[in-house]
Amino acid sequence: MMSLARNASKVLFRLYEGQEETKDEYGNLTGSPVPKYGELQVAFLTVSSNKGDASIEPFGTLTDYDRTMSTADTTCPISEHAVLWLDGKSTDEPHNYVVKKRAPWKNSIVFAIQEVTVDE
């Protein structure tokens, strides 16, 4: 698979690093974990316009994704549960996509991504 530079889109992402427990206004642990993400990073990947026919999709009938991303860079660090800012979304706002599945192959990687709505 060749990645054409003209087909690449700028993808801003943060990698999932586990969970951390929240604290209340007094500094006490609440017992409610929240996801923890790393530093903001940038990658250039080919992002599909929308989900197509399941018979030709790389993830088959997995229905909980809206689009796919692909790259020929097999060292791409994006992993499952990473959060993404796509389609020009500002990083000052919450992310608008999350990686649902990562499918590495010999010389490419395809990601199933799902659009999400995040309340601040």
Side-chain angles (χ1 to χ4, degrees):
M1 174 181 155
M2 295 273 301
S3 284
L4 295 175
R6 69 180 181 194
N7 293 337
S9 298
K10 184 177 183 179
V11 176
L12 300 164
F13 66 96
R14 288 179 186 245
L15 298 176
Y16 178 75
E17 294 183 341
Q19 294 185 341
E20 62 185 1
E21 209 171 327
T22 58
K23 295 182 180 179
D24 63 15
E25 63 272 12
Y26 305 109
N28 300 318
L29 296 175
T30 64
S32 299
V34 293
K36 180 181 176 187
Y37 297 98
E39 294 295 316
L40 186 65
Q41 299 180 51
V42 178
F44 290 89
L45 292 97
T46 303
V47 181
S48 71
S49 57
N50 59 13
K51 186 173 156 182
D53 182 14
S55 65
I56 59 171
E57 288 299 317
F59 298 98
T61 58
L62 173 69
T63 58
D64 63 343
Y65 74 100
D66 300 311
R67 298 166 77 177
T68 60
M69 302 186 310
S70 61
T71 182
D73 178 8
T74 57
T75 64
C76 181
I78 298 175
S79 60
E80 291 179 10
H81 309 296
V83 293
L84 311 167
W85 287 262
L86 294 179
D87 304 328
K89 178 100 171 172
S90 171
T91 56
D92 294 333
E93 301 174 30
H95 61 278
N96 58 347
Y97 282 87
V98 65
V99 177
K100 299 300 281 185
K101 197 77 172 160
R102 182 178 196 267
W105 185 236
K106 293 179 183 178
N107 49 359
S108 66
I109 305 173
V110 179
F111 303 91
I113 60 175
Q114 181 180 40
E115 188 169 17
V116 293
T117 303
V118 180
D119 297 328
E120 289 189 72

